Amino acid sequence: QVQLVESGGGLVQAGGSLRLSCAASGRTFSSYAMGWFRQAPGKEREFVAAISWSGGNTYYADSVKGRFTISRDNAKNTGNLQMNSLKPEDTALYYCAAALMGFPRFSYEYDYWGQGTQVTVSS
């Protein structure tokens, strides 16, 4: 199994930036695709971005495309989400997830989840 721990969340003004990190342990992280999701109070969990096991393929939700960048460093067993030009509507609890197979963009396709890190963007 894989254990995931997110960090890097916090409070930032609109237009600012944050970098989220996901530390993985357990089985080899490079064997898994990685995704980021977010969930605001009263809303369903929303797909944000995904990256393939090799890092060669990425996909972003339309709402974050051009502002967020997903990356991974398999040698360090870490994944990252660089968030620029943040908006108040980006406020949510952000989750890192790992999937053994495929290049999933839906929450039900992921096998492991972190505990979440809070991102709050003020206007």
Side-chain angles (χ1 to χ4, degrees):
Q1 62 180 15
V2 173
Q3 295 81 45
L4 305 173
V5 179
E6 304 95 332
S7 62
L11 175 64
V12 65
Q13 292 184 339
S17 299
L18 284 174
R19 186 176 179 86
L20 306 184
S21 295
C22 177
S25 62
R27 293 189 176 182
T28 304
F29 183 60
S30 61
S31 298
Y32 297 83
M34 185 186 73
W36 287 90
F37 291 77
R38 65 188 183 186
Q39 187 168 23
K43 297 184 178 180
E44 295 184 352
R45 189 167 297 184
E46 175 189 21
F47 170 79
V48 176
I51 187 168
S52 62
W53 65 268
S54 67
N57 295 293
T58 59
Y59 193 83
Y60 300 91
D62 288 341
S63 59
V64 306
K65 194 174 300 181
R67 300 188 297 119
F68 291 11
T69 302
I70 188 171
S71 62
R72 66 191 300 162
D73 187 339
N74 290 337
K76 298 180 179 180
N77 289 335
T78 59
N80 295 284
L81 184 69
Q82 178 66 45
M83 306 184 296
N84 298 327
S85 301
L86 284 163
K87 305 175 181 179
E89 50 263 44
D90 294 319
T91 296
L93 188 65
Y94 282 71
Y95 296 90
C96 178
L100 181 60
M101 298 180 63
F103 185 34
R105 291 180 282 168
F106 300 96
S107 61
Y108 64 82
E109 297 179 288
Y110 284 84
D111 301 296
Y112 305 102
W113 295 83
Q115 84 289 350
T117 185
Q118 180 67 40
V119 172
T120 302
V121 184
S122 62
S123 60

